[in-house]
Amino acid sequence: MEEYTAIYEQGEDGWWVASCLEMPEAITQGETIEEARENLRDAIQLLLEVRREDAEKQLEGREVIREPLVL
C-alpha cells in the first residue's frame, strides 16, 4: 500500500484546499477538512487510473515483462 502526504489549507472563504506533495496535480477542496480529504483521495485515484491508461496505450504492440512492484 502506497502512502502519500496530504496538505490542507483553509482558504479565505472558509473552504479547505487539499493537495498532495507527491502528486502536485492532485488539488481539490471541500467545505470541511473531511470532505477535502475524501475529495483528495478520489483525485489521486483518478490520476493514477489516467496515468495507467496512458502508459498502457504507449505499450500497445510492444513485448514487455510485467510484474507487481510493492513499495
Side-chain angles (χ1 to χ4, degrees):
M1 182 172 216
E2 186 72 28
E3 187 173 298
Y4 299 94
T5 307
I7 305 296
Y8 303 98
E9 297 180 86
Q10 195 163 27
E12 293 178 14
D13 59 0
W15 283 59
W16 287 92
V17 177
S19 60
C20 177
L21 285 180
E22 295 82 5
M23 296 182 85
E25 331 64 336
I27 302 171
T28 188
Q29 63 181 2
E31 284 188 84
T32 64
I33 196 166
E34 292 81 12
E35 183 180 18
R37 183 179 295 118
E38 187 61 33
N39 291 343
L40 184 58
R41 282 189 183 107
D42 291 343
I44 291 170
Q45 287 175 335
L46 288 171
L47 277 169
L48 289 171
E49 288 174 23
V50 168
R51 287 178 177 180
R52 176 178 284 277
E53 289 172 8
D54 289 346
E56 291 288 347
K57 288 177 188 175
Q58 291 178 8
L59 293 175
E60 285 180 6
R62 296 169 54 188
E63 279 192 48
V64 298
I65 297 173
R66 295 173 187 260
E67 67 178 14
L69 178 65
V70 179
L71 301 177

